[in-house]
Amino acid sequence: MAKMKRAFALLLALASVTWASYWMDDINHQGIAPFNPLKNYQVFRNVKTWGAMGDGVTDDTAAINAAIADGNRCGGPSCGGSTTSPAVVYFPPGTYLITSPIIGFYYTQIIGDPTDMPVIKASGNFPTGALALLDSNPYMNTGELNFQATNVFYRQVRNMVFDTTAVRGRATGIHWPSSQATLIQNCVFRLSSHPDDTHSGIFMEEGSGGMMADLVFHGGKYGARFGNQQYTMRNLTFYGSDTAIDQIWNWGWTYKSLKIVGSRVGINMSSSDVGSITLLDSSFVNVTTALITGRNPGNTTGLGSLVIQNVEYKDVPTVLAAADGTPLLLGAADGTVYDTGYARGNTYAPRGPYLIEGRELAFSQPQTLKLGDRYYERSKPQYQEYPASSFLSARDHHAVGDGVTDDTDALSTLLHTAANSSQIVFLDAGYYKVTDTVFIPPNTRVVGEALASVIMGVGQKFSDPSNPRPVVQVGRRGDVGFVELSDLIVSTQGATAGAVMIEYNLNTPAAENTCSQGVPPSGLWDVHVRVGGFKGSQLQAADCPTTPIESNYANPACVAGYMSMHITPTARNLYMENNWIWVADHDIDDWNSTQISVFVGRGLLVEGSRIWLVGSSVEHHTLYQYQLLNASDVWMGQIQTETPYYQPNPPAPYPGTQLNMALEDPDFAADCRPDAPNRPLSLEGDPPCAMAWGLRILDSKNVVVFGAGLYSFFNNYSTSCSTTKSGENCQARIFWVGQDTQGADKMTVELYNLNTIGSVSMITQGAVDLATWDQNRATFASTLAVFRSQAQV
Ligand SMILES: *[C@@H]1O[C@H](CO)[C@@H](O)[C@H](O)[C@H]1NC(C)=O
Ligand SMILES: *[C@@H]1O[C@H](CO)[C@@H](O)[C@H](O)[C@H]1NC(C)=O
Ligand SMILES: *[C@@H]1O[C@H](CO)[C@@H](O)[C@H](O)[C@H]1NC(C)=O
Ligand SMILES: *[C@@H]1O[C@H](CO)[C@@H](O)[C@H](O)[C@H]1NC(C)=O
Ligand SMILES: *[C@@H]1O[C@H](CO)[C@@H](O)[C@H](O)[C@H]1NC(C)=O
Ligand SMILES: *[C@@H]1O[C@H](CO)[C@@H](O)[C@H](O)[C@H]1NC(C)=O
Ligand SMILES: *[C@@H]1O[C@H](CO)[C@@H](O)[C@H](O)[C@H]1NC(C)=O
Ligand SMILES: *[C@@H]1O[C@H](CO)[C@@H](O)[C@H](O)[C@H]1NC(C)=O
């Protein structure tokens, strides 16, 4: 293989001028993986360099799989995870014929040329027993997935066409058991609709995701079959799939901007393992039955909760049917029916539970968050309209990215140069160690590589929790301008108790109310925070072992952050999509995924206005995961949180004993006192009180949450508090809505499809438990359909 590779490398060098068109192919490939033991480890791989022809005739299977596997990467039964062998596997335009599956490895980005999308075409003799054309996580002989689905992070598939039409019988485009920081974007699936064939675009049966966007499905018995804890899916279009979406199971799911045309069934959510679906800004055209539910009228559990907002049905005889076919909601066989708002499930508005099965609820739908009649949305820029010369490579500008050299000055200079020249910064894969704040000036665009471009704060300047300091600062308070950042990770190394991983201050002058003119909102796509649990972090299994025995102990060497992300009061018009803010609960590079104890005080604090959080997750911070403080016009759609596994050993706020009242840190000492006034009922019995909040909203206006999964699985590393169904006893409370202290302006918070695990109370307002888990039993999670805060007191 090595010889062949060299030969093709030569060919590529000669031919590159004519082949290349997309900047990602044209650009110098200088990305590195500094913690990989191979000195010449290659991050970027053009499949043609490994011999793929893309001519629609040659069998390219072996060449593609070699391009993926080269360099002793993480795949096969001997590897369950790794951060040291990231790769971009790039496909130039062409039709790549395959005769057996392409096998996905850990930390792999499969990216095609978006200007002329490559086609992966299964040959007529593709084995029908094979799970998928792209099997991102094959089943091993043991019957288990190669990678535990809930630990599959940091991978993407973009700009690819999957064509199964030549296969008779069973065929699937992508097998995708996946979790946080994963993405399938801008892909097309061409599937057989022959009645003898069972084709499906995507099959996903497990995981804790995740994001998909901008997908088009043609035909198939199923457009897609989805099962996962939670997901956010935006801009999916189905043409002529018999069943567009088969919802295998979930706790919560957010579908935005779906379009389903010419199907027998739109979404089949009839399985009793479906917790909830939130569907908005969508349309069904020529569909016999738009939705099938397993939840029968009068059912007062949380199962199969359904919330619909702004959906149009054209030539749809039945909008909603029971599993046995009984119509529950009619459409018009020949005409259009429009739903402003519809809900089916338990309602707290603010008191409950009341069963709602219909349209009687007015949804607030803040116009300030919309473009026209839909909530604003914006796909990740891939810059296909720019030549390679528009990009400034970090490595060409004296940044080293080897995880050792101090790159603070190099990055700062580069970012200023780029902002001054309107060029786009290409942060080649690498670990950019910085010893002071990296400032991202207004009017800057930065794109990373392989989800392996890591800005890593280290040292003295980030060590003082009484003087917190940003690792990456986007604009200064009061700055006006825009940014576009994508495919980046912000991180730390070692003890950095004063680090704020991302501070976002920018006010983007996007057109107000409609976003239709002038500059769009700024955007952060696939920008993640990762603290600990990876090679180079000095916060791994050997450094930060779990400490189940000694109470109230936190190893100071493992206190690694003050706050993961701060969107400050001056921030305005920010669109975020697919962001995972993670304090590691386990070591990804450890063979056994060993659990670790790493401490960061605060998760994501939002104080700004006009903020969209589309598909986000914040996990394992000590005080809270999300906190909204005097924020306004905030759209959150499928948010997901986890309480730290170590709590209550030590309990919150430990080790962050110094509270910052200017940031309204929760005061556990006061709240959890046995003689606290108006002590809520959820504190009776033994559920621990001093536990991180999943979501805390104070003094905020026009907050709409479309899907939330707030989970607490562990106490002191044991799941017995969440797995025994005698009670959800891991913590007393998880979601708090604060009273209005601002006077005139009343708080307005609406939350659709709240799914919680391990918490006695699902919603606490002031000292009142508005909803408890046992009122809303559903799947493994408890689910309620609608919550509206006490807006008009
Ligand atoms: C939706 O996806 C299609 C196909 O990728 C794309 O052309 C379109 O611009 C996307 N629309 C939005 C609103 O993102
Ligand atoms: C409606 O969808 C069915 C099934 O895909 C298709 O056969 C039919 O032609 C469509 N009708 C119209 C009017 O498009
Ligand atoms: C809906 O899905 C279930 C499997 O969960 C299947 O048994 C049923 O036939 C489907 N309903 C329709 C109308 O296709
Ligand atoms: C509610 O629906 C679920 C799922 O279909 C079913 O398992 C359960 O028995 C029903 N409960 C009641 C009280 O009707
Ligand atoms: C960028 O422009 C500003 C203001 O015009 C100037 O002060 C600064 O030196 C420039 N920086 C670089 C790196 O070119
Ligand atoms: C935590 O769990 C361990 C067992 O894994 C136990 O020995 C220890 O006492 C527990 N600590 C606390 C504070 O509950
Ligand atoms: C993984 O854990 C098992 C059981 O604790 C242990 O026997 C094995 O040595 C560990 N493997 C590695 C590579 O650490
Ligand atoms: C809350 O935000 C508003 C602007 O939306 C501002 O006028 C007010 O001063 C803020 N209040 C506090 C206490 O910061």
Side-chain angles (χ1 to χ4, degrees):
M1 197 63 223
K3 228 180 215 153
M4 174 170 149
K5 199 178 121 185
R6 262 197 302 278
F8 276 104
L10 185 63
L11 256 181
L12 176 69
L14 296 173
S16 65
V17 180
T18 50
W19 278 0
S21 53
Y22 185 40
W23 65 268
M24 193 181 284
D25 194 0
D26 277 347
I27 207 158
N28 283 335
H29 297 117
Q30 309 178 89
I32 57 171
F35 301 108
N36 190 294
L38 296 179
K39 280 293 145 260
N40 60 350
Y41 179 84
Q42 233 174 309
V43 174
F44 183 88
R45 298 115 192 271
N46 182 323
V47 292
K48 291 203 166 178
T49 312
W50 272 262
M53 299 304 289
D55 58 9
V57 181
T58 312
D59 179 358
D60 282 332
T61 320
I64 295 169
N65 278 328
I68 293 173
D70 191 47
N72 196 24
R73 299 188 62 230
C74 178
S78 64
C79 187
S82 162
T83 62
T84 63
S85 51
V88 171
V89 178
Y90 179 77
F91 287 74
T95 296
Y96 298 83
L97 190 74
I98 58 169
T99 54
S100 66
I102 298 171
I103 305 296
F105 277 30
Y106 208 81
Y107 226 124
T108 304
Q109 326 303 316
I110 302 223
I111 301 179
D113 181 339
T115 64
D116 185 0
M117 279 161 58
V119 180
I120 303 288
K121 184 162 178 56
S123 68
N125 59 355
F126 192 85
T128 52
L131 207 43
L133 273 56
L134 169 59
D135 191 346
S136 74
N137 194 352
Y139 280 95
M140 302 183 297
N141 294 336
T142 57
E144 290 179 348
L145 290 167
N146 189 156
F147 311 107
Q148 188 187 320
T150 52
N151 288 347
V152 170
F153 313 132
Y154 308 117
R155 54 168 75 179
Q156 302 179 351
V157 181
R158 287 193 258 152
N159 320 323
M160 304 288 295
V161 178
F162 294 87
D163 184 337
T164 65
T165 51
V167 185
R168 296 283 65 82
R170 190 171 284 278
T172 298
I174 305 180
H175 175 219
W176 193 252
S178 52
S179 289
Q180 293 84 2
T182 62
L183 174 71
I184 302 181
Q185 187 201 358
N186 193 34
C187 289
V188 174
F189 301 84
R190 295 185 194 141
L191 314 166
S192 163
S193 288
H194 193 278
D196 294 342
D197 294 337
T198 303
H199 285 204
S200 161
I202 299 174
F203 173 60
M204 173 162 75
E205 73 282 39
E206 273 188 61
S208 179
M211 184 81 206
M212 295 189 194
D214 308 334
L215 309 180
V216 183
F217 301 81
H218 298 273
K221 184 165 169 57
Y222 306 100
R225 311 189 65 194
F226 293 138
N228 198 290
Q229 293 175 13
Q230 71 284 315
Y231 238 90
T232 306
M233 296 191 171
R234 190 180 64 67
N235 190 25
L236 273 50
T237 304
F238 299 82
Y239 296 107
S241 307
D242 180 55
T243 293
I245 296 172
D246 178 25
Q247 190 74 53
I248 306 169
W249 73 278
N250 74 29
W251 297 341
W253 213 277
T254 302
Y255 290 112
K256 181 179 182 331
S257 304
L258 287 188
K259 185 175 171 191
I260 297 178
V261 182
S263 288
R264 186 177 57 87
V265 176
I267 304 175
N268 186 343
M269 56 180 286
S270 67
S271 157
S272 58
D273 295 321
V274 171
S276 60
I277 283 182
T278 312
L279 170 66
L280 51 155
D281 297 342
S282 296
S283 68
F284 295 76
V285 180
N286 179 26
V287 175
T288 312
T289 306
L291 298 136
I292 302 179
T293 178
R295 185 190 168 97
N296 288 322
N299 193 315
T300 55
T301 69
L303 277 163
S305 292
L306 175 63
V307 173
I308 293 174
Q309 220 182 79
N310 188 31
V311 177
E312 192 177 80
Y313 311 90
K314 187 174 186 299
D315 303 330
V316 174
T318 304
V319 167
L320 182 70
D324 66 4
T326 310
L328 300 174
L329 192 60
L330 290 178
D334 194 3
T336 301
V337 168
Y338 172 76
D339 250 326
T340 323
Y342 177 89
R344 204 171 182 80
N346 292 338
T347 308
Y348 296 77
R351 298 298 157 93
Y354 297 107
L355 181 62
I356 179 171
E357 291 175 341
R359 299 186 167 112
E360 63 257 45
L361 198 84
F363 294 76
S364 75
Q365 309 206 26
Q367 194 57 40
T368 43
L369 290 164
K370 291 192 171 189
L371 167 60
D373 71 339
R374 293 186 168 197
Y375 289 108
Y376 183 72
E377 59 192 305
R378 183 171 174 210
S379 296
K380 173 157 89 172
Q382 300 202 64
Y383 303 114
Q384 59 266 40
E385 61 278 36
Y386 292 86
S389 57
S390 295
F391 293 79
L392 298 178
S393 145
R395 285 178 72 78
D396 283 347
H397 287 77
H398 317 295
V400 181
D402 62 359
V404 179
T405 309
D406 184 349
D407 282 324
T408 319
D409 292 344
L411 286 188
S412 296
T413 308
L414 166 65
L415 286 158
H416 277 111
T417 306
N420 282 6
S421 63
S422 299
Q423 281 173 296
I424 303 163
V425 171
F426 178 62
L427 201 59
D428 317 67
Y431 282 69
Y432 298 86
K433 187 174 114 176
V434 298
T435 52
D436 202 352
T437 303
V438 173
F439 177 66
I440 299 192
N443 310 325
T444 307
R445 292 170 290 184
V446 183
V447 56
E449 182 182 28
L451 276 184
S453 305
V454 182
I455 298 177
M456 189 166 73
V458 51
Q460 201 56 41
K461 290 202 166 120
F462 300 116
S463 68
D464 180 5
S466 54
N467 193 10
R469 196 173 181 89
V471 176
V472 167
Q473 184 184 45
V474 183
R476 296 202 175 85
R477 300 236 176 164
D479 275 357
V480 174
F482 75 90
V483 294
E484 290 175 2
L485 311 178
S486 51
D487 294 317
L488 302 173
I489 293 180
V490 182
S491 192
T492 60
Q493 184 182 64
T496 49
V500 174
M501 275 52 101
I502 303 176
E503 182 186 283
Y504 187 96
N505 299 301
L506 204 57
N507 175 359
T508 300
E512 301 291 320
N513 298 317
T514 63
C515 313
S516 60
Q517 293 153 356
V519 203
S522 285
L524 268 57
W525 296 265
D526 304 279
V527 174
H528 309 296
V529 171
R530 176 172 81 202
V531 182
F534 64 93
K535 216 162 255 181
S537 64
Q538 297 176 10
L539 302 163
Q540 290 191 267
D543 311 299
C544 301
T546 60
T547 52
I549 303 302
E550 197 177 341
S551 212
N552 289 6
Y553 176 75
N555 181 351
C558 301
V559 181
Y562 184 83
M563 183 187 295
S564 275
M565 182 167 182
H566 189 181
I567 300 175
T568 67
T570 60
R572 185 165 175 82
N573 288 313
L574 170 62
Y575 181 90
M576 292 175 60
E577 187 168 285
N578 200 25
N579 311 96
W580 185 35
I581 295 179
W582 188 58
V583 179
D585 58 282
H586 70 275
D587 184 347
I588 298 177
D589 289 301
D590 177 82
W591 199 87
N592 280 328
S593 299
T594 300
Q595 290 180 318
I596 55 178
S597 287
V598 176
F599 302 86
V600 176
R602 299 149 191 85
L604 170 59
L605 175 62
V606 179
E607 298 190 86
S609 55
R610 293 191 99 213
I611 312 289
W612 292 263
L613 300 171
V614 181
S616 67
S617 166
V618 184
E619 298 186 304
H620 314 136
H621 300 78
T622 304
L623 303 182
Y624 54 79
Q625 312 315 317
Y626 293 84
Q627 176 159 300
L628 272 53
L629 173 59
N630 194 28
S632 63
D633 302 304
V634 181
W635 193 103
M636 305 165 91
Q638 203 62 237
I639 61 166
Q640 182 250 316
T641 71
E642 281 184 10
T643 301
Y645 298 179
Y646 53 79
Q647 284 181 346
N649 174 30
Y654 207 86
T657 44
Q658 216 178 318
L659 298 188
N660 185 339
M661 289 335 282
L663 300 182
E664 294 281 356
D665 280 346
D667 187 347
F668 292 96
D671 290 353
C672 297
R673 270 192 359 234
D675 60 343
N678 307 318
R679 195 174 158 80
L681 284 175
S682 56
L683 293 179
E684 301 301 322
D686 60 359
C689 168
M691 302 285 287
W693 293 99
L695 171 62
R696 203 162 172 263
I697 305 181
L698 294 89
D699 297 331
S700 298
K701 283 189 300 186
N702 283 347
V703 176
V704 284
V705 186
F706 292 99
L710 312 179
Y711 313 141
S712 184
F713 296 106
F714 294 86
N715 269 176
N716 183 23
Y717 293 100
S718 159
T719 56
S720 57
C721 58
S722 61
T723 48
T724 60
K725 275 289 156 180
S726 56
E728 296 283 317
N729 254 342
C730 299
Q731 63 188 78
R733 305 168 297 169
I734 202 156
F735 167 36
W736 194 78
V737 188
Q739 301 287 358
D740 175 25
T741 56
Q742 297 300 314
D745 285 330
K746 302 293 179 219
M747 281 188 64
T748 44
V749 175
E750 296 190 0
L751 197 160
Y752 303 101
N753 284 330
L754 169 65
N755 312 285
T756 67
I757 289 171
S759 179
V760 176
S761 170
M762 296 180 74
I763 305 169
T764 310
Q765 180 156 358
V768 180
D769 298 318
L770 293 180
T772 53
W773 76 278
D774 52 339
Q775 297 166 336
N776 302 290
R777 284 172 189 248
T779 52
F780 189 65
S782 294
T783 298
L784 61 84
V786 178
F787 165 65
R788 317 177 79 194
S789 74
Q790 202 165 350
Q792 278 77 45
V793 249

